């Protein structure tokens, strides 16, 4: 059996930023298998920087510290390697790409990932069967598959599409950046159901959110509060209600 | 007094002398005088320099035009050409096929009339104001081409193909194809016009196409000019539109040392419409240049030009779009949009959206952008496991999608083949 480290992801003393401006100032975080961690905190605390860094977006500088993912140095990965190794970032603002159909994009993503993982690519029929089943579970009209990627999609449609991508790519670590922002209650419930169905003992999730609302639907194992680029408080799910009551100022 | 010959023979002197001899020999010198006049008129002005506004982005000074010779007659042994006819699956019944100016295949369809020359044009109005100097050269040297008339009310389902291949093996050759399309009242057809320079020695291709649309005629025109060498490819397209006629389509230029297309569209009758798209693809040291003019002469006419170019390496593309609204052409609607995508820091894209408006009560808009691939979009695709090269391809497809969405299937595969190299 393959060697399996104690935790899926370990971040140690991470200092990072953009253009010589530090944003993250000593992050310590460990994510175990099958765990759901929520990272909360006020605007500008560095939550999205952390999410982007974990998906290896260009333009961030790491000054100090390490990120270890399945015993490998995550900072040596390219964005596509992150995906192939099982890291998924759900975007706060999914990008629209007119003229490229959603289904064409999804098929490219699934098959490129499968090939990189040493699996055979899916043919058109197998892919279609798989995607039909997954869209139905997300209560997503199949018409969205044939439109241009995220082009003219409502906020809810975009986020459902992010969750669809997550369920198709079957990552080991899903980072959902403000997945709840801009969603009405029905869309929020659909997205939460998608995430809860996805959740199992082999898949870990980092939920980045402003509000406690999402945590009513997706129950985290741990909650971390991030302020000024540091995790200042960690606790169980009960921390959410304290934050709801008192805000972030007391920390 | 005898005529004193200039000490230095003028440009194309030897080529014209041999043309003259062969015309006299074949007993068809009837248009020799017209040709001489056209050549003399060309000599008055010469090859345009890039100091001229209209030719600013096509630098021809580095080509030695005198070295180009007319292709020898009947030199065409059965040429084996796998491209592009096989790929585009043209119906032979509706296809013209020229090789170095010589007609290898003529359509056999009886749904339109095939003429021997563009002489029928004489009876039609032509509001084109400027004569391009390469048109003069084409008049002097012009040879075979496709000349057709679409009868009144005819609706052709299958496209008509006009395919010109040029290929210099040793001697640099020049070809001067002429094409004429007359679309009679309420006729409808799709025209696919392809110029392809095959790999070999330098070639100079100088084509003219004249499309005359009578009242209510609809022409969809797909124009592809592609060079596989650093050749000079120049085309001049004149479109004259009567009332309620509709001219639409796409022009695609790719490859070549100087790949230029000049379009002059005159909207000569009320409610005439021109909706055209252009696409330029240039890589390495290639230069492409489209100069597209639409003149609105009558009220309630509309034009809509959408231009895109993708430039790689140290190549340069240029697009000039010019909309002229003549006095009295009220209720004109015109729009002009040019977007350019640079794929390397040394690539260049020139854009000139120009409006000349002499009428009131009109709606005109224009815009131009030049930029690189969107980094956020690239990251989004890569974060889904799509490799860098494929992610760039998808974004390029997205960029040109408004241009290519209407291209007929067989031609689209040819276009996509070119795009996949970017």
């Amino acid at each position: 059996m393959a060697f399996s480290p104690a935790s899926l992801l370990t971040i140690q003393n991470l200092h990072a930023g953009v253009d010589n401006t530090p944003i993250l100032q000593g992050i310590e975080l460990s994510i175990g298998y099958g765990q759901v961690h929520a990272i909360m905190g006020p605007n500008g605390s560095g939550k999205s920087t952390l999410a982007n860094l974990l998906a290896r977006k260009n333009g961030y500088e790491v000054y100090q510290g390490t990120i270890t993912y399945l015993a490998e140095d995550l900072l040596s990965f390219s964005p596509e390697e992150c995906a192939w190794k099982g890291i998924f970032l759900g975007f706060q603002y999914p990008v629209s790409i007119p003229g490229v159909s959603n289904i064409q994009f999804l098929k490219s993503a699934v098959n490129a990932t499968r090939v990189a993982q040493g699996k055979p690519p899916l043919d058109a029929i197998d892919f279609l069967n798989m995607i039909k089943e997954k869209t139905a579970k997300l209560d997503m009209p199949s018409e969205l598959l044939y439109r241009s990627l995220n082009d003219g999609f409502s906020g809810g449609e975009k986020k459902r599409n992010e969750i669809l991508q997550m369920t198709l790519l079957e990552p080991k670590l899903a980072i959902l950046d403000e997945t709840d922002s801009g969603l009405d209650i029905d869309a929020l419930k659909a997205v939460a159901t998608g995430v809860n169905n996805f959740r199992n003992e082999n898949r870990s999730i980092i939920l980045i959110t402003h509000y406690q609302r999402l945590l009513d639907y997706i129950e985290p194992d741990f909650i971390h509060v991030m302020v000024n680029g540091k995790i200042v408080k960690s606790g169980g799910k009960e921390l959410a209600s304290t934050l709801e009551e008192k805000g972030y100022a007391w920390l | 007094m005898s005529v004193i010959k200039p000490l230095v023979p003028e440009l194309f002197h030897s080529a014209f002398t041999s043309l003259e001899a062969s015309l006299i020999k074949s007993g068809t010198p009837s248009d020799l005088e017209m040709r001489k006049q056209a050549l003399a008129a060309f000599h008055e002005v010469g090859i345009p320099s890039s100091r001229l506004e209209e030719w600013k982005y096509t630098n021809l000074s580095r080509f030695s035009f005198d070295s180009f010779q007319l292709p020898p007659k009947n030199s065409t042994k059965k040429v084996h050409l796998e491209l592009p006819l096989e790929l585009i699956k043209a119906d032979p019944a509706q296809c013209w096929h020229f090789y170095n100016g010589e007609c290898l295949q003529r359509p056999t369809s009886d749904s339109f009339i095939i003429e021997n020359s563009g002489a029928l044009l004489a009876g039609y109005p032509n509001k084109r104001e400027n004569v391009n100097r390469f048109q003069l050269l084409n008049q002097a040297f012009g040879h075979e081409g496709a000349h057709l008339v679409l009868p009144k009310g005819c609706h052709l389902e299958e496209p008509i193909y006009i395919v010109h291949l040029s290929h210099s093996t040793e001697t640099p050759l020049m070809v001067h194809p002429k094409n004429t399309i007359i679309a009679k009242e309420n006729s409808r057809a799709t025209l696919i016009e392809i110029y392809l320079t095959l790999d070999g020695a330098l070639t100079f291709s100088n084509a003219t196409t004249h499309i005359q649309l009578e009242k209510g005629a609809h022409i969809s025109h797909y124009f592809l000019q592609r060079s596989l060498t650093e050749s000079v490819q120049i085309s001049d397209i004149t479109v004259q539109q009567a009332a309620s006629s509709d001219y639409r389509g796409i022009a695609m230029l790719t490859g070549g040392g100087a790949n230029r297309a000049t379009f002059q569209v005159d909207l000569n009758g009320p409610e005439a419409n021109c909706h055209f798209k252009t696409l330029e693809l240039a890589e390495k040291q290639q230069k492409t240049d489209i100069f597209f003019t639409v003149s609105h002469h009558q009220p309630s006419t509309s034009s809509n030009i959408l231009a895109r170019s993708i430039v790689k390496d140290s190549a340069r593309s240029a697009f000039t779009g010019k909309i002229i609204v003549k006095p009295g052409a009220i209720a004109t609607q015109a729009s002009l949009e040019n977007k350019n995508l640079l794929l390397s820091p040394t690539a260049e894209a020139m854009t000139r959206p120009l409006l000349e408006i002499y009428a009131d009560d009109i709606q005109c808009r224009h815009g131009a952008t030049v930029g690189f691939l969107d980094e956020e979009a690239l990251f989004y695709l890569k974060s889904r496991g799509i490799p860098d090269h494929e992610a760039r391809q998808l974004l390029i497809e997205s960029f040109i999608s408004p241009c290519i969405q209407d291209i007929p299937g067989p031609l689209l595969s040819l276009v996509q083949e070119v795009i996949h190299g970017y």
Side-chain angles (χ1 to χ4, degrees):
Chain A
M1 235 188 93
F3 165 72
S4 180
S7 61
L8 178 67
L9 179 81
T10 309
I11 303 175
Q12 284 178 313
N13 191 31
L14 183 68
H15 292 256
V18 175
D19 289 335
N20 292 317
T21 311
I23 299 170
L24 303 180
Q25 314 201 50
I27 299 280
E28 300 278 346
L29 186 66
S30 178
I31 310 281
Y33 301 94
Q35 294 175 350
V36 176
H37 291 242
I39 299 180
M40 303 183 72
N43 279 333
S45 56
K47 304 188 298 295
S48 288
T49 299
L50 179 62
N52 288 334
L53 207 62
L54 291 174
R56 297 295 294 129
K57 185 178 182 176
N58 264 343
Y60 292 95
E61 297 149 359
V62 174
Y63 310 117
Q64 235 191 91
T66 56
I67 307 178
T68 311
Y69 172 80
L70 287 173
E72 283 191 274
D73 174 14
L74 184 144
L75 294 171
S76 70
F77 300 168
S78 66
E80 51 269 49
E81 279 171 335
C82 280
W84 301 338
K85 289 172 191 283
I87 298 171
F88 176 88
L89 171 65
F91 279 50
Q92 184 177 1
Y93 303 110
V95 179
S96 306
I97 305 185
V100 172
S101 76
N102 197 14
I103 194 153
Q104 179 193 359
F105 157 74
L106 294 168
K107 190 161 179 247
S108 297
V110 168
N111 279 342
T113 303
R114 286 180 66 94
V115 169
Q117 292 171 346
K119 298 177 198 162
L122 294 177
D123 66 23
I125 295 168
D126 287 344
F127 178 75
L128 214 59
N129 287 337
M130 173 165 113
I131 203 158
K132 273 185 182 155
E133 183 207 316
K134 307 234 171 184
T135 43
K137 274 190 182 166
L138 279 169
D139 214 3
M140 207 173 137
S142 57
E143 168 253 339
L144 285 183
L145 294 172
Y146 299 98
R147 285 191 12 209
S148 287
L149 174 56
N150 292 329
D151 190 30
F153 283 30
S154 70
E157 288 169 339
K158 282 183 187 168
K159 295 298 168 78
R160 271 180 232 225
N161 205 30
E162 292 294 286
I163 300 304
L164 174 66
Q165 291 163 39
M166 179 180 79
T167 59
L168 286 170
L169 294 170
E170 300 184 330
K172 296 188 180 85
L173 174 65
I175 305 146
L176 303 178
D177 189 8
E178 306 268 4
T179 290
D180 51 335
S181 71
L183 294 189
D184 61 34
I185 195 73
D186 290 336
L188 181 68
K189 279 183 185 166
V191 164
T193 307
V195 175
N196 287 329
N197 288 338
F198 169 79
R199 191 171 176 176
N200 72 23
E201 67 278 10
N202 295 315
R203 295 169 177 164
S204 308
I205 300 171
I206 298 176
L207 290 174
I208 290 178
T209 181
H210 258 33
Y211 305 106
Q212 192 231 345
R213 190 177 69 151
L214 179 68
L215 308 183
D216 292 342
Y217 297 94
I218 308 170
E219 203 172 278
D221 300 305
F222 301 95
I223 293 180
H224 310 277
V225 181
M226 200 159 146
V227 178
N228 292 331
K230 272 187 192 151
I231 289 175
V232 295
K233 181 119 188 124
S234 294
K237 60 189 173 204
E238 67 288 345
L239 187 56
S241 45
T242 318
L243 290 169
E244 182 78 352
E245 230 174 88
K246 299 188 178 174
Y248 296 114
W250 61 283
L251 289 159
Chain B
M1 226 176 97
S2 64
V3 178
I4 301 165
K5 284 201 171 177
L7 288 174
V8 180
E10 283 180 300
L11 204 50
F12 302 116
H13 176 79
S14 75
F16 195 79
T17 311
S18 66
L19 173 68
E20 190 173 7
S22 81
L23 285 174
I24 291 168
K25 199 175 152 196
S26 65
T28 51
S30 56
D31 57 358
L32 192 57
E33 201 45 43
M34 182 279 288
R35 288 176 185 271
K36 278 182 176 167
Q37 281 172 15
L39 187 65
F42 171 77
H43 282 146
E44 298 269 310
V45 286
I47 297 283
S49 96
S50 52
R51 282 196 298 271
L52 288 165
E53 274 306 295
E54 215 181 307
W55 292 91
K56 195 169 174 182
Y57 299 118
T58 293
N59 181 0
L60 297 169
S61 64
R62 62 201 182 89
F63 297 98
S64 160
F65 280 91
D66 234 2
S67 65
F68 294 112
Q69 296 299 318
L70 289 170
K73 279 271 170 202
N74 303 319
S75 65
T76 324
K77 297 167 207 93
K78 202 67 193 164
V79 228
H80 176 70
L81 298 164
E82 67 279 24
L83 253 178
L85 292 186
E86 292 299 314
L87 193 58
I88 60 179
K89 298 178 190 77
D91 175 3
Q94 305 229 104
C95 182
W96 264 277
H97 182 187
F98 299 89
Y99 178 81
N100 282 343
E102 204 168 321
C103 190
L104 296 187
Q105 183 183 309
R106 213 174 271 282
T108 52
S109 166
D110 53 10
S111 31
F112 52 90
I113 302 155
I114 298 167
E115 299 282 339
N116 287 325
S117 75
L120 278 179
L121 278 175
Y124 285 96
N126 184 347
K127 294 221 177 172
R128 179 164 181 164
E129 284 163 349
N130 55 328
V131 175
N132 180 334
R133 27 188 105 185
F134 284 103
Q135 280 181 293
L136 294 170
L137 208 53
N138 183 278
Q139 281 167 23
F141 287 104
H143 39 74
E144 285 190 276
H147 305 283
L148 70 102
V149 178
L150 294 165
K152 189 172 169 180
C154 97
H155 285 200
L156 282 187
E157 293 289 332
E158 288 298 309
I160 299 170
Y161 286 85
I162 302 175
V163 181
H164 289 272
L165 300 182
S166 41
H167 187 204
S168 305
T169 45
E170 288 150 23
T171 323
L173 298 178
M174 62 175 179
V175 290
H176 299 268
K178 290 164 100 99
N179 309 291
T180 318
I181 294 93
I182 295 175
K184 297 265 191 190
E185 232 176 278
N186 296 323
S187 60
R188 272 169 196 258
T190 297
L191 186 66
I192 296 180
E193 194 179 3
I194 296 176
Y195 294 88
L196 179 70
T197 300
L198 301 173
D199 204 2
L202 276 193
T203 304
F204 169 36
S205 165
N206 173 34
T208 64
T209 296
H210 187 119
I211 304 177
Q212 192 82 38
L213 290 93
E214 283 190 12
K215 198 175 161 191
H218 282 235
I219 292 287
S220 297
H221 187 196
Y222 298 93
F223 177 95
L224 171 67
Q225 184 158 283
R226 182 183 185 191
S227 178
L228 303 180
T229 65
E230 295 293 293
S231 289
V232 186
Q233 278 198 295
I234 289 172
S235 284
D236 189 282
I237 298 96
T238 303
V239 181
Q240 298 294 315
Q241 293 189 239
S244 306
S245 64
D246 186 280
Y247 174 66
R248 60 185 61 218
I250 167 166
M252 176 169 153
L253 266 57
T254 176
N259 189 343
R260 156 81 178 224
T262 309
F263 280 81
Q264 169 69 48
V265 179
D266 287 280
L267 303 172
N268 301 330
E271 282 165 25
N273 304 313
C274 166
H275 295 279
F276 218 79
K277 295 163 182 180
T278 70
L279 177 61
E280 293 170 65
L281 298 171
E283 61 178 340
K284 297 169 191 151
Q285 304 286 324
Q286 297 164 354
K287 306 273 185 289
T288 61
D289 182 6
I290 293 180
F291 199 106
F292 204 111
T293 309
V294 185
S295 298
H296 294 254
H297 296 273
Q298 291 286 320
S300 304
T301 47
S302 76
S303 66
N304 187 336
I305 311 298
L306 193 75
R308 295 274 191 278
S309 60
I310 301 178
V311 201
K312 214 170 102 169
D313 308 324
S314 295
R316 183 172 76 194
S317 72
F319 176 81
T320 306
K322 192 172 185 180
I323 292 174
I324 303 171
V325 182
K326 295 284 180 182
I330 54 163
T332 285
Q333 283 190 16
S335 74
L336 181 62
E337 182 199 284
N338 177 219
K339 288 187 179 174
N340 300 280
L341 178 61
L342 302 177
L343 296 179
S344 88
T346 47
E348 285 182 277
M350 305 297 170
T351 173
R352 291 190 293 182
L354 309 170
L355 299 178
E356 273 183 33
I357 298 172
Y358 304 101
D360 295 328
D361 184 24
I362 56 140
Q363 279 180 36
C364 282
R365 54 188 190 84
H366 68 307
T369 61
V370 180
F372 295 103
L373 284 178
D374 179 9
E375 285 295 325
E376 183 73 13
L378 206 52
F379 172 60
Y380 186 61
L381 296 174
K382 291 203 270 187
S383 78
R384 298 305 181 247
I386 298 175
D388 185 73
H389 178 73
E390 204 182 322
R392 286 174 193 275
Q393 276 290 320
L394 285 174
L395 293 182
I396 289 172
E397 273 179 43
S398 164
F399 178 77
I400 60 170
S401 64
C403 274
I404 64 169
Q405 58 195 1
D406 307 323
I407 298 184
L411 188 63
L412 186 61
S413 48
L414 188 69
V415 172
Q416 275 167 339
E417 182 219 303
V418 178
I419 293 163
H420 278 138
Y422 277 71

